[in-house]
Each structure stands twice: as structure tokens, then as C-alpha cells.
Amino acid sequence: MADIIQLLPDHVANQIAAGEVVQRPASVVKELLENAIDAGASNIKLIIKDAGKTLIQVIDDGKGMSVTDARLSFERHATSKIKTADDLFQLDTKGFRGEALASIAAIAHVELKTKQEQVDLGTAIIIEGSEVNSQDVVVTPKGTSVSVKNLFFNIPARRNFLKSNAVELRHVIDEFHRVALAHCTISFAMYNNGSETFNLPASNYRQRIVNIFGNKTNEKLVPVEEDTEVLKISGFVGKPEYAKKTRGEQYFFVNNRFIKSAYLNHAIASAFDGLLKSGTHASYFLNLTVDPQTIDINIHPTKTEIKFDDEHTLYALLRSAVKHSLGQFNIAPVLDFERDSNLDTPYDLNKKQTLEPVIEVDRGFNPFKDSTKSSEGTSVKSSSFKKETSANWESLYVGLESKGNNEREDFSEVQFESQESTASMFVDDAEVEQVHTTYQLHNKYIVSTIKSGMLVIDQNRAHQRILYEDFLKNMTIKEAVSQQLLFPLQLHFSVQEIQILGQLKEDLEHTGFVFSNVLVESVEITGVPISVPESEVSIILEQLISDVENEVPDAHFSATDLLAKSMAKSLAIKTGQNLKKDEQEHLVNKLFACKEPNVSPTNKTTFVTMSVDELDKKFI
């Protein structure tokens, strides 16, 4: 029998390895930015075209590479970061696997230009699908420039699975944020399709956060500092009143490396216990410094998962440090059992001068005397309780005796019923039909009767379906009704959130929103849809931004459809809201006037029916 096991060619092995390392354009951005940091760069520039599908270029002013290193860097398992297995537990660099450049070169067109400071000329290498096309001497400034073009050109299936440019760009920006936040002493710049998106000068950590997420972020931050033998914590958490419905602004960095940890995230959530509204999440930007020997980074090629030696200790330290900061800056209420709150001076009286109280005495008061005339002629009342004698029983009949037949005028004051009224246990059938058509169960379900039995409607999902179809109709026909605000409403968002609103601005205007001004970090609204209260505008827009960021759309993704779903979810009647009879009936009638009343916009059942036969079986 012939041998069937054979070694795979290098270019095939590289393509297989690339499936783990390079999942989307954001993966390439992460690897190239981390290489630039490892090279000791102080200025890093990221250039993106078509969300990274056409071009990803990273330019740095690091130490550069020699001719041999430049060529060897594209080989698999070739790295300058480690030499022995023991180095894995003393890592102070971002990369160590030696797979990134080889994987990227296997699935894209890569052009590398690099030069060291002490040499006059640099090296330029062009690689297409793991094949080196050229290697030349070139004039280039100190540092390295890597251009990745036509990502997944030789793997059409992977390219087709990429999402829309807007979605892929958000992933690229997320990776850019993670690297930029971890290294605030390095200057970063990002350009998207020729326009500058971010320009972050070298600064302290607080200023870096403000530069990325907007000036309004500064007032939301509470510093967290803790230094122990096991763990050093530094960074900021957001104030509870600024908590968001999304987890977008939650960053953990361990030894300047971004990580994801549900366990440590729970420590932050428990520290905020009792301070956050339901369904909201606190923001945090925390740097954790631990001994490299106590962690294992070599879990996954993306290096965002880390194993800790003693997670329970880290959990307790992190939770107590955050609680201490919230209490220290008067964010959380402090209990002081020795202080008597009854002795606190009210705020209104804090600066007023105290006056001696005036006592008035009524010297003529005698509680044991009845009301008598005093010598001066004034009446003095006694405060004693005098028992009143009950009236005689004959007095009940006073005035009822007849005064004669000639005194008929007395009957003019007596009123008679024009028609005899008799109470009945049974009301008209028509009245029963009118009053008892619907019932509300637990302020969640609407129960109605039908010919075949009973109908149970989920009020929240039903209202979502009604609003969803209304919004879609308004955005399609573009005849939405808007109510003008007396005073313009100004809302503040981060730079990337403003970009999302800019993409949805036209569709939002078709639903009834009127934007008078859109700035870099704020929007001014002068009109809202007629069904939207002014107090809920910020909540609706935040929910919309969250849905757009977290949506994983398919090839037929429609921004209009997503906008209608998000607004319907925000404005729909909530579970627990009491509805009047006419509101219940209106909801039922509007639901069955919809095109698809059976399911909500998220394809969940809106109502169920139960026939009389099914009810009868329950009583067998």
C-alpha cells in the first residue's frame, strides 16, 4: 500500500496558519502596530483604505532592520523577541510567535521598506502570496514601513465573508484604541481614505483617554491607584451616572497588553454593585502590572487571553481598589455609625445667624375652668374634655309629624325616582362585550377572547412590531412627522459615535429627527419624532449606536432596517407597564393590522392562541 502522509508545502502551511492569526483587517492592524512598538518607535502612523481591504500601511520611526533581518522576518517561526522556551515567562514584548508577517504575506501583497539609523540606504522587499518578487536597495527614512494590499486576494471565500466597510472599520478602530491606550507615551496617527481620523500626541494616561473618547470624558473619570507586592493597579473607572448600555469602554491591560477577562470584569461589576441602573455597564481603563512569571500569554494566537497564577487574589485586590476609589471621591455612599445625622445643619440654614428663641406664655390659661367671663369681659375657654349628652330618642322623629293636608308645599322638597330601579346580577350582553374584551395579565401579557378560544399577546414584542413597521414606512415614504423643540437639545458623544450617527443621519431625519448641527463631539437636535419624548432622545440614540456597533450583518445588511429595529426596541411599551382598556384594545387592533403580526422584528413570537378544546383537556 502506498504512503499517503506527506509534508505540506510552505505556502500551504502559511495559508493554514494565517487562518488563526489573520481573521479580518483589524488583525493585520494589531500585528503591525505591535511590531512597531517592539521596534522602539516613538511616532506611529496607520493608513487605511476601504476599511483595510485595499490597503493597510503602518509607518514607524523605530530602529529598523538589516538586509538579512528584513528577508528573514517573513519566514515562519522567525522572531527576535525570544530565544529559549524560558523566555516565554519573561516577556516584555508584544510578539513572540514569529508567525504574523509570514501569515500576512501568505494571503496578501506586502511591501516592506526598512532602514537602520547607522546605514545610508535601506531595503525594499515585495512579496505576493509567500513568493518574493523583488528585493532592492532603496532610499527611505529611519524606521520601517509595511504596506499590506489586497487582503485575502488568493482566498476568495475569506474575502467574501468580510463584513461591510463600516463594520470592518469599527473593528480596525477598536484595535487602534487598544494599542494607543496601552502606550500613551507614543504618538499615534490614523488616516482613513485620505482623511485624518485620530491624531494622538504623546501624553499622560488621562489625556490619552480624553483625546480618544472626547473632552466630555474628563469629568467622568475616577482615578484608581493601588500598589501591592502581588499587583499594581493604575487607571480610571467611570462614574456610575455615566454608565452605558454597552461594554465598549471597558479596557483591561496586563503589562501593557490588552486582554479580555470575564472573571476580572465581574470584580469591577461587584465593586459597582448597587450604584448602577439595571442593564448598564460601568466604563473602566485599568492597567494591571504583575510579575511576568505568574501569567501565561501563550494561550491563543491573538494573545488576548491570559492565564493567571492566582486569580482569586487579583479579583479581591481589584474589587477593593475600585470600591476604595469610589468611596474616596464621594461617588459611593459612606456609612459612619458614630455620626448622628439629626445633628446636621440643613444646607439652607448653614450660613444664617442663629437667634435666641422667644418664649411666649399665656398667664391667664387655666385648663380646669369652663368657659367663663373674666373680669375684663373676655371669654376664657377651657380645654377640658366635656362629655356631650346624647340626644333623646324621641328627637329622631321631630319634624315628621303631619302638619295638615293644607300644607302641601312641604312635599316640594321631596324627590321621587321617575322610574323604578331594580338591581340585576346580569348586565347586557353588549355591555359585557364592550367592557371585558381584553385583560392585562401581570402587566406583561394582554389576554383577549376569540371565537375559537383565547389569545395571549406579549405587549412589548407586539408594540415593537407595530413601531418597526411604522418606522420602515416613514423611512421609505419619507413623510415622517416631527415635533419641534422649544430649546435645541445638545448631546455629547465620542468621535467614533459621531461617525456612526453621521452615517445614519439621513435615515434618522426620515423618521422625524431634525439635526441643526453636527460637530466633532456633539450633535444639536431641534426636532424629534412625534412619538418620542424629549427625555428619551439620548437613550434612543445610545441604544442605536450600541446596536450598530454590535450588529453582525449579513450581505443584505440594511442600515434602515437596523435603525427601525433599534428605535422600535427603545420606544416599545416595556414589561411591567400598566395599560388602560382602550390602550389594550388599540394595541391588539394595531398588531393585527401589521403585515407580519406573528413575530417581532427580532423574529420572536408576539402572541399565542389556545383553543377551547385545549382548555377542556386541562380539566380532564
Side-chain angles (χ1 to χ4, degrees):
M1 185 175 177
D3 299 331
I4 58 175
I5 296 178
Q6 59 184 351
L7 287 173
L8 291 175
D10 286 342
H11 68 280
V12 177
N14 287 340
Q15 285 191 12
I16 295 172
E20 286 187 338
V21 179
V22 183
Q23 300 170 355
R24 56 188 348 140
S27 307
V28 177
V29 170
K30 173 181 180 293
E31 298 293 345
L32 295 184
L33 288 177
E34 289 183 347
N35 281 345
I37 293 168
D38 287 340
S42 56
N43 295 281
I44 299 175
K45 187 185 297 183
L46 171 64
I47 299 173
I48 297 292
K49 284 186 181 179
D50 297 333
K53 299 175 184 176
T54 303
L55 172 67
I56 301 171
Q57 185 176 8
V58 173
I59 305 171
D60 67 69
D61 60 352
K63 55 188 178 184
M65 291 183 283
S66 65
V67 178
T68 306
D69 287 345
R71 179 65 186 84
L72 197 58
S73 64
F74 290 99
E75 298 295 330
R76 288 189 67 198
H77 310 304
T79 180
S80 63
K81 316 299 172 59
I82 62 172
K83 294 182 179 179
T84 64
D86 294 337
D87 293 338
L88 288 172
F89 301 100
Q90 296 291 338
L91 285 174
D92 57 357
T93 58
K94 302 296 174 191
F96 56 86
R97 287 174 172 269
E99 290 182 338
L101 285 179
S103 298
I104 294 170
I107 53 173
H109 298 167
V110 180
E111 181 179 352
L112 170 72
K113 292 181 180 180
T114 182
K115 184 180 87 72
Q116 293 177 319
E117 187 175 13
Q118 63 271 19
V119 298
D120 296 330
L121 296 174
T123 306
I125 298 177
I126 297 177
I127 298 180
E128 295 182 4
S130 296
E131 294 183 5
V132 180
N133 284 3
S134 66
Q135 179 173 340
D136 299 315
V137 177
V138 69
V139 176
T140 183
K142 173 207 168 189
T144 303
S145 170
V146 183
S147 300
V148 178
K149 304 174 184 177
N150 304 323
L151 193 65
F152 298 124
F153 80 99
N154 52 356
I155 311 178
R158 289 294 295 270
R159 190 175 181 87
N160 292 335
F161 274 106
L162 292 178
K163 308 302 179 185
S164 64
N165 284 357
V167 175
E168 294 297 342
L169 180 61
R170 282 196 295 275
H171 286 288
V172 169
I173 291 176
D174 285 344
E175 292 293 348
F176 180 80
H177 285 172
R178 293 169 182 176
V179 176
L181 284 171
H183 303 275
C184 57
T185 57
I186 300 176
S187 174
F188 287 89
M190 176 178 171
Y191 298 87
N192 177 38
N193 293 333
S195 61
E196 184 179 84
T197 306
F198 291 99
N199 190 355
L200 310 174
S203 60
N204 59 31
Y205 193 45
R206 188 183 196 115
Q207 188 61 46
R208 176 56 57 89
I209 296 171
V210 171
N211 288 339
I212 291 177
F213 296 101
N215 293 326
K216 296 291 289 184
T217 312
N218 191 33
E219 63 190 51
K220 305 176 185 179
L221 300 178
V222 178
V224 179
E225 293 287 340
E226 191 68 44
D227 193 356
T228 66
E229 295 180 357
V230 180
L231 172 69
K232 180 181 179 182
I233 304 172
S234 64
F236 301 90
V237 294
K239 294 179 180 177
E241 59 265 32
Y242 297 108
K244 293 191 172 186
K245 290 188 175 182
T246 64
R247 299 179 182 270
E249 296 181 3
Q250 294 184 341
Y251 295 90
F252 274 125
F253 300 99
V254 174
N255 296 353
N256 292 330
R257 185 191 302 275
F258 174 80
I259 68 157
K260 296 177 182 178
S261 174
Y263 186 68
L264 296 183
N265 179 72
H266 188 272
I268 304 293
S270 61
F272 277 90
D273 192 23
L275 300 176
L276 298 177
K277 295 180 182 177
S278 177
T280 60
H281 308 279
S283 303
Y284 53 80
F285 311 87
L286 295 174
N287 295 301
L288 311 180
T289 305
V290 299
D291 186 355
Q293 294 185 350
T294 63
I295 58 175
D296 185 6
I297 305 169
N298 193 21
I299 303 298
H300 192 271
T302 58
K303 310 181 192 76
T304 56
E305 298 177 20
I306 288 183
K307 292 293 184 183
F308 294 95
D309 198 15
D310 188 359
E311 280 190 329
H312 298 290
T313 303
L314 299 184
Y315 182 99
L317 289 173
L318 188 60
R319 181 175 179 270
S320 61
V322 173
K323 285 184 75 71
H324 175 70
S325 292
L326 293 175
Q328 184 179 7
F329 291 91
N330 295 325
I331 305 300
V334 180
L335 295 178
D336 187 355
F337 295 100
E338 296 180 357
R339 183 178 64 86
D340 188 357
S341 59
N342 295 324
L343 301 179
D344 292 345
T345 304
Y347 184 77
D348 297 337
L349 304 177
N350 200 17
K351 296 182 180 179
K352 288 186 178 180
Q353 187 177 2
T354 56
L355 299 175
E356 185 178 352
V358 179
I359 302 175
E360 295 182 359
V361 180
D362 183 6
R363 301 186 181 279
F365 175 70
N366 188 348
F368 301 104
K369 287 186 178 181
D370 293 334
S371 296
T372 56
K373 292 284 185 179
S374 65
S375 59
E376 291 81 14
T378 59
S379 176
V380 181
K381 284 191 174 182
S382 171
S383 65
S384 61
F385 296 97
K386 182 179 178 182
K387 184 178 179 180
E388 295 183 0
T389 57
S390 58
N392 197 3
W393 65 271
E394 288 92 345
S395 62
L396 296 173
Y397 297 95
V398 174
L400 295 181
E401 60 271 12
S402 173
K403 296 184 180 181
N405 295 331
N406 57 345
E407 297 180 356
R408 296 175 182 273
E409 62 272 9
D410 290 342
F411 289 97
S412 62
E413 298 179 1
V414 181
Q415 296 180 357
F416 296 95
E417 292 181 354
S418 59
Q419 188 177 353
E420 184 179 357
S421 174
T422 58
S424 172
M425 288 178 60
F426 305 100
V427 194
D428 261 355
D429 291 340
E431 192 174 348
V432 172
E433 185 73 21
Q434 182 180 0
V435 177
H436 298 291
T437 51
T438 60
Y439 300 89
Q440 192 175 21
L441 181 64
H442 296 304
N443 288 343
K444 182 177 182 181
Y445 301 105
I446 296 174
V447 182
S448 180
T449 56
I450 54 177
K451 288 184 179 180
S452 61
M454 183 174 64
L455 182 72
V456 183
I457 302 172
D458 187 310
Q459 65 185 34
N460 175 260
R461 294 180 184 177
H463 200 213
Q464 281 190 41
R465 164 54 63 178
I466 296 167
L467 293 175
Y468 170 70
E469 294 197 3
D470 285 345
F471 286 133
L472 273 185
K473 180 180 177 183
N474 290 339
M475 284 184 276
T476 306
I477 303 176
K478 303 179 182 178
E479 293 182 354
V481 181
S482 176
Q483 57 180 352
Q484 298 300 306
L485 300 177
L486 185 60
F487 300 103
L489 188 63
Q490 191 163 18
L491 303 175
H492 296 273
F493 296 98
S494 63
V495 177
Q496 58 269 29
E497 289 173 341
I498 292 292
Q499 289 179 347
I500 294 173
L501 287 178
Q503 297 168 3
L504 301 174
K505 181 172 177 285
E506 185 178 352
D507 289 324
L508 284 169
E509 287 173 343
H510 294 159
T511 64
F513 283 98
V514 179
F515 296 90
S516 60
N517 203 359
V518 179
L519 302 176
V520 179
E521 296 180 4
S522 65
V523 293
E524 191 175 74
I525 299 173
T526 56
V528 296
I530 201 163
S531 59
V532 177
E534 182 181 348
S535 59
E536 294 187 9
V537 173
S538 61
I539 300 174
I540 292 169
L541 293 182
E542 284 180 6
Q543 181 66 50
L544 173 61
I545 292 170
S546 167
D547 291 340
V548 172
E549 288 179 338
N550 297 327
E551 183 75 16
V552 183
D554 54 17
H556 305 288
F557 167 67
S558 168
T560 306
D561 183 71
L562 175 61
L563 175 59
K565 285 181 181 178
S566 177
M567 291 186 62
K569 181 170 63 174
S570 300
L571 293 172
I573 296 168
K574 301 295 186 289
T575 298
Q577 184 173 338
N578 188 25
L579 299 179
K580 298 178 181 177
K581 289 290 182 183
D582 54 346
E583 293 174 334
Q584 298 172 21
E585 293 176 4
H586 179 72
L587 187 70
V588 175
N589 295 333
K590 287 281 287 182
L591 174 63
F592 289 101
C594 293
K595 293 181 179 179
E596 294 185 17
N598 298 325
V599 293
S600 69
T602 53
N603 290 324
K604 294 181 179 179
T605 305
T606 55
F607 67 87
V608 294
T609 57
M610 186 172 290
S611 65
V612 177
D613 293 338
E614 290 175 332
L615 285 172
D616 289 341
K617 292 177 182 177
K618 302 289 184 183
F619 293 94
I620 295 176

